[in-house]
Amino acid sequence: MEHGQMRALQRALGLTLASAVIWGVAHLWAGRRITGALLAAAFAAIAAALIVLATGFRHDLLDLVVQPTWLTAIIVATLGLALIWVTVVVRSWLLVRPSGLAVAPRAAGIAAVVGLCLAVTAPFAYAAHSTYVYRDALTTIFKAGKNQPKVHKDNPWQGRPRLNVLLLGGDSGSNRVGVRTDSVTLASIDTKTGDTVLLGLPRNLQQVAMPPGPAADRFPNGFTGDGPETPGLLNEIFEYGEEHPEILPGVAKGERGPALLVPTVSQILGQPIDYYILVDMKGFAQIVDAMGGVYLRIPKDIVFGKYNEGLLKAGYRKLNGTDSLWYGRSRTDSDDYVRMGRQKCLLRAIARQADPQKVLLRFQKLAVAAKHTISTDIPQNLLPALIDLSGQMKSGAKINSLQFVPPLISTGNPDFALIRERSAKAIASSQNHQAAAPTQTTPASPTKTVKHQTDPTAGPADTAGKPLSLDATCPS
C-alpha cells in the first residue's frame, strides 16, 4: 500500500470513529455543514435528555421501569437508536473513504467499520435484551388485569395507613408432595414512614380455624389435616387448598393455596391482609447466588443436612445460595423457632445488601431467578408506589419482629385471642414510634428456660411476646 493511501485510510477511519463518538464530525469535514450541524445537534439533544432524565427525573424513571408498556417502548427506542447510530457510522465512512484504494486496504477499511458498528451496537443490544428479560420477569410475577385497583399517582396510599403483606416461604422438594409454607410472616408496613412490624407464625401451629365457608364446614373445630401424612399443621393449609378444589369453588388451580391460607392467617392474627408473596426456598438460593452471596454473622456453628454432613462455621462470613438456604432451614441442634429467627435475619441482610449498583450489575440473573421463584397477587399498577415505600424502608425505617412461639403460645393448643391481642399491640406501638418498649407489654408466663431463648438469632424479647428490633435480634 502506498504511503499516501495509508494516510488517507487512517484519516477516513479516524473521522468515522470521531463520528461514532460525536455525530456529524465526518459530515462537517466533508463539507456537509447543514447535515453535520443537525446530526451534532441531535446527538447533543439526546445526550442532554438522557442526563436530565437520569438526574432530574429519577423518581419518574422508577415509575416507568415497572410498567410493561414503557419497558416495551424502551426496548424499541433502544434498538431504534442503535440502528440510527450504525447508519451515522456507515454514512460517515461512505463520505470520507478515499477513492482508488486497492483491494486489501479497502477490505481492511470495511472490516474496521464493521467492527466499529458492532462495538456501537453491543451496549444497545445488551440493554434491549436485559430490558426484555426484566419485562418478562415483571409480567410473569406481577399480573395485570381489568380488576386491578385504581392507584392515585400523587397519593397511592390514600385511605390506607398500613400495607399488610403476607410473606410465605414455600419449601418444595423431591421428598414431599406440593408446597409447604414453612415460613409464614405478616409484614405490616406504615405507608407514611415505612416502619414495619413482622409477625411470625410457627409452621407447626395447630387447631387453626378455617375461614367461613366450605373449609370451615369441613373443619368446624380447626384444621386437622387429611390422614397420617397431614397431621393438621399451619404449613399444610396452602397445599391442602390446592388439592381440594371443592372447598374453594370457582378458584383456579395455582390460586387455591393462597386463597385458603391468606384469610386463615388474617383470622389468626386479627389483621387484614392486602397481598401475599410466596418465595420458593430452593429458588431463593438462586437469588442469593445471583446477588453474589450475602454476608452474615453466625453466632455459633450450624450443622445441616439429612445426615448432618454440612457445617456453617461461626463468624462473619459470606454465604452462597446453598449455604444461605441451610442457614434458614436447618433445625439440627435447634428448633423451628430458632430457624424462624434466622430466616428473618437472612431477609434483613439481603434487603440491606441488595443495593442498586449490585442489582444493576446482576439483574439479568436476578430477574431469571425471581421469575422461577416468586409468585404474588400484587398488581402491576401498584409497583411505582411500592418502590417509593421500599425506599422509605431502606432509609432508616424501624423494623420490629414479634414471633408467636413458646413460651408465649403453645403450638399444640394456641391462645388465638392472645395472638390477636399482641399483634394489635405491636402494630399500635409501631405507629406510636414506641415499638419494643418493655413497659408496654406484660411478660408472658411460664418463664421456664427453653433452648431457643439463648440463641442470639431468636432473641429473648421475641419469646416473651415483646416486639423487638431486628437490629437487636440479628448479630451484626
Side-chain angles (χ1 to χ4, degrees), residues 217-453:
D217 295 339
R218 179 170 297 185
F219 300 105
N221 298 316
F223 182 66
T224 55
D226 189 18
E229 297 299 320
T230 55
L233 307 181
L234 177 64
N235 72 335
E236 301 164 10
I237 293 177
F238 185 99
E239 186 60 26
Y240 189 89
E242 287 293 339
E243 294 178 349
H244 295 82
E246 69 278 5
I247 65 173
L248 294 157
V251 181
K253 181 177 176 59
E255 299 177 3
R256 292 193 286 263
L260 181 60
L261 183 59
V262 168
T264 299
V265 174
S266 176
Q267 196 166 264
I268 293 172
L269 296 173
Q271 299 295 323
I273 296 178
D274 300 297
Y275 306 106
Y276 79 90
I277 299 175
L278 171 65
V279 179
D280 181 82
M281 295 307 290
K282 285 194 172 181
F284 177 80
Q286 298 176 18
I287 292 179
V288 173
D289 282 334
M291 285 180 56
V294 61
Y295 288 92
L296 274 171
R297 184 171 298 281
I298 302 176
K300 60 182 181 181
D301 291 354
I302 298 175
V303 179
F304 64 84
K306 185 175 182 180
Y307 302 104
N308 298 341
E309 68 273 18
L311 177 67
L312 297 177
K313 295 288 291 182
Y316 186 73
R317 58 185 67 258
K318 182 179 182 180
L319 305 184
N320 60 25
T322 301
D323 290 341
S324 64
L325 185 61
W326 280 115
Y327 174 85
R329 290 179 64 183
S330 178
R331 292 193 300 271
T332 304
D333 297 330
S334 58
D335 53 32
D336 276 330
Y337 317 120
V338 171
R339 184 173 75 162
M340 287 173 63
R342 289 202 303 263
Q343 288 170 354
K344 289 179 176 59
C345 293
L346 180 60
L347 291 174
R348 166 184 175 268
I350 291 174
R352 289 193 168 188
Q353 294 171 37
D355 58 272
Q357 181 179 0
K358 182 179 293 186
V359 170
L360 285 174
L361 289 174
R362 303 174 180 270
F363 84 90
Q364 280 203 52
K365 291 182 179 180
L366 283 167
V368 172
K371 176 182 174 181
H372 298 101
T373 301
I374 300 173
S375 59
T376 182
D377 61 347
I378 295 175
Q380 286 180 8
N381 64 348
L382 193 64
L383 293 179
L386 284 175
I387 286 180
D388 288 342
L389 187 58
S390 65
Q392 295 178 35
M393 293 175 67
K394 289 178 71 71
S395 300
K398 299 178 181 178
I399 302 179
N400 299 316
S401 174
L402 174 58
Q403 299 184 52
F404 292 104
V405 298
L408 177 60
I409 64 163
S410 166
T411 57
N413 185 28
D415 185 341
F416 291 108
L418 178 64
I419 292 176
R420 290 188 287 271
E421 176 190 345
R422 292 299 176 90
S423 297
K425 284 185 177 181
I427 291 173
S429 295
S430 175
Q431 290 173 326
N432 295 330
H433 301 287
Q434 296 175 345
T439 58
Q440 291 185 309
T441 56
T442 303
S445 58
T447 58
K448 64 179 182 179
T449 301
V450 293
K451 183 189 302 181
H452 68 278
Q453 279 185 296

Side-chain angles (χ1 to χ4, degrees), residues 88-176:
V88 170
V89 171
V90 172
R91 183 56 183 162
S92 299
W93 164 252
L94 293 176
L95 279 176
V96 299
R97 63 180 175 174
S99 59
L101 287 175
V103 175
R106 187 186 309 129
I110 293 173
V113 173
V114 170
L116 182 58
C117 289
L118 292 175
V120 165
T121 56
F124 290 99
Y126 176 81
H129 174 70
S130 298
T131 305
Y132 173 79
V133 171
Y134 168 64
R135 183 190 183 281
D136 181 52
L138 184 75
T139 54
T140 300
I141 298 171
F142 301 97
K143 307 301 181 184
K146 297 180 180 179
N147 297 324
Q148 291 198 75
K150 292 183 179 180
V151 179
H152 193 278
K153 183 177 180 181
D154 296 328
N155 189 10
W157 308 114
Q158 188 174 14
R160 189 188 296 186
R162 301 196 73 82
L163 178 69
N164 290 345
V165 181
L166 183 61
L167 308 176
L168 303 172
D171 199 357
S172 60
S174 58
N175 61 339
R176 59 171 55 177

